[in-house]
Amino acid sequence: MGILPVSEWASWNASFGGPGTGSGPLSSPWYSTHKTQLLGVLLAAASNFLISVSLNIQKCSHLRLACQKETKPYYTSKLWWCGITLLGLGEVGNFIAYGFAPIALVAPLGCVSVIGSAFISVLFLKKTMRAADILGGTLTLTGTYLLVTFAPDVPQELTARRVQTYLVSWPFLVYLILEIIIFCILLYFYKRKAVKHIVVLLMMVALLASLTVIAVKAVASMITLSAKGKMQLTYPVFYIMIVLMATSCAFQVKFLNQAMHLYEATAVVPINFVFFTTSAIISGLIFYREFQSAALLNVFMFLFGCLLSFLGVFVIARNKREEHLQIPFIDCGLIPGKKLTGKIQPDSRSSCYGTLNNEDNSVKSQS
């Protein structure tokens, strides 16, 4: 074997991290640049799995409360509070992850919550594992791999002054005005017209989440810089972001809990993933300009990864509600005075689903 020319030897070192200067995956410069993003990826994946556990626990608490004779608020259930606690821990983990990685890299890892929710519901909520679940999980994981691989690399430090500049930029101001208008329209239908469709509820969650991820990214980054000795906590924008983060999170929990109360976790989690990921990527694109220096091929592969992930979660969620309606929540054959074929189940979308309906008129209306 002949000796490599100097130029080829340098290229080989740059690609595979050999002696000399290089930026390959095994080289020291590459590792020092991406190790913080790797930490953010691991934190986000673990946190989203914890969130999937918490959502299924909350759904289980709602089903248990529906079985009781006396109607009690969901916040009186210890199981529900256990789910909320795990949800809080998962969100804290996501909060820390945003301090180490870009929004476009952390947000798509919500697929871990989607897949985890599907498999946990099989184990604990006695759902049926389907071939579509495996196919959807494969598509989602493949899409997420592309998202993580071709996510934008944003090495610049996010200081308080930079956040202030982004807050008053015209692209963000236009985006904020449009978001407020859409949210007010959805809130009008939710409050005045009593429209509680899953899309309406989760659209409001996603709009709030876009502001949440902006604030979380800013707060986490400023805390990280302050811990490194570059004090950022003396700027008013830090506390403005904390208020924005806390307010948007509180309303997110309200609307997300309403969706979990009315719909299946296997339907809420995938749709919430699609809406949240889209809103987070858009907010990172507009506010933090994460794709400003990205190559065209990277952007294309990133969008293709989004498409695969979204397709995967919809495959997982497909026909979930129809399967649920075919299996009665209450075994009618064990109820005295009721036949096995008696139609006593109310509409699954109503607030009384899972309870017996003793009024004859209501029974006839369901027939």
Side-chain angles (χ1 to χ4, degrees):
M1 184 176 68
I3 300 176
L4 291 173
V6 176
S7 59
E8 293 187 17
W9 179 257
S11 176
W12 187 88
N13 284 337
S15 300
F16 296 97
T21 59
S23 57
L26 300 180
S27 63
S28 178
W30 184 93
Y31 178 74
S32 61
T33 303
H34 294 82
K35 65 180 181 180
T36 55
Q37 292 191 4
L38 179 61
L39 178 59
V41 168
L42 295 177
L43 279 173
S47 300
N48 280 291
F49 179 77
L50 199 61
I51 289 173
S52 68
V53 175
S54 70
L55 293 176
N56 280 277
I57 289 178
Q58 290 181 61
K59 186 62 182 180
C60 184
S61 69
H62 287 308
L63 293 177
R64 287 189 178 184
L65 290 173
C67 294
Q68 297 180 359
K69 295 181 179 180
E70 297 181 1
T71 304
K72 296 181 180 180
Y74 58 85
Y75 51 80
T76 61
S77 172
K78 294 181 180 180
L79 188 62
W80 183 84
W81 279 109
C82 178
I84 285 295
T85 302
L86 292 178
L87 179 64
L89 292 175
E91 292 298 344
V92 169
N94 272 328
F95 169 79
I96 299 174
Y98 280 110
F100 294 99
I103 292 177
L105 183 58
V106 176
L109 292 175
C111 75
V112 176
S113 178
V114 177
I115 299 174
S117 178
F119 283 93
I120 290 172
S121 63
V122 172
L123 296 177
F124 296 101
L125 297 182
K126 307 304 179 183
K127 303 297 179 182
T128 303
M129 172 63 70
R130 307 168 302 150
D133 296 329
I134 300 176
L135 175 61
T138 303
L139 288 173
T140 304
L141 288 177
T142 304
T144 303
Y145 172 77
L146 293 177
L147 289 169
V148 173
T149 302
F150 296 97
D153 188 10
V154 188
Q156 63 183 5
E157 292 182 341
L158 189 60
T159 61
R161 291 187 179 276
R162 190 180 296 276
V163 173
Q164 290 176 351
T165 303
Y166 290 159
L167 275 175
V168 296
S169 62
W170 69 263
F172 173 69
L173 294 178
V174 173
Y175 171 74
L176 182 63
I177 292 173
L178 291 176
E179 187 171 270
I180 291 175
I181 293 174
I182 296 174
F183 184 82
C184 289
I185 294 174
L186 293 174
L187 190 63
Y188 170 78
F189 283 103
Y190 174 76
K191 288 290 187 181
R192 298 293 183 180
K193 302 297 183 179
V195 177
K196 297 183 179 180
H197 193 273
I198 187 172
V199 173
V200 174
L201 291 170
L202 296 184
M203 274 290 291
M204 290 191 289
V205 172
L207 292 174
L208 292 169
S210 65
L211 298 178
T212 302
V213 295
I214 289 174
V216 166
K217 175 69 176 177
V219 172
S221 298
M222 284 187 279
I223 291 177
T224 302
L225 288 178
S226 299
K228 292 180 180 179
K230 301 178 181 179
M231 181 55 62
Q232 306 291 318
L233 307 185
T234 57
Y235 291 87
V237 68
F238 173 76
Y239 301 97
I240 293 175
M241 287 296 183
I242 288 181
V243 173
L244 176 62
M245 178 181 64
T247 305
S248 58
C249 280
F251 283 100
Q252 271 185 260
V253 171
K254 171 184 170 59
F255 294 123
L256 184 59
N257 185 74
Q258 182 70 21
M260 291 298 301
H261 179 63
L262 296 177
Y263 299 94
E264 287 293 318
T266 48
V268 173
V269 174
I271 298 176
N272 186 53
F273 163 70
V274 174
F275 287 175
F276 169 79
T277 303
T278 303
S279 65
I281 292 174
I282 292 175
S283 63
L285 171 67
I286 295 177
F287 189 85
Y288 292 112
R289 306 165 188 177
E290 292 183 342
F291 289 89
Q292 190 172 17
S293 59
L296 182 60
L297 177 61
N298 285 16
V299 175
F300 174 79
M301 295 302 295
F302 184 87
L303 294 177
F304 183 65
C306 287
L307 180 62
L308 287 181
S309 297
F310 295 165
L311 180 62
V313 295
F314 276 112
V315 168
I316 293 175
R318 187 184 61 179
N319 297 328
K320 281 290 185 180
R321 200 175 77 176
E322 285 79 2
E323 289 183 2
H324 175 75
L325 291 176
Q326 293 172 1
I327 304 174
F329 181 72
I330 300 174
D331 191 348
C332 303
L334 298 179
I335 303 175
K338 297 290 183 180
K339 296 180 180 180
L340 184 61
T341 57
K343 297 182 179 180
I344 59 174
Q345 282 293 90
D347 186 3
S348 62
R349 293 169 293 180
S350 66
S351 60
C352 60
Y353 179 68
T355 60
L356 292 177
N357 196 337
N358 294 323
E359 297 181 5
D360 295 334
N361 293 334
S362 298
V363 173
K364 293 179 180 179
S365 62
Q366 292 297 322
S367 302

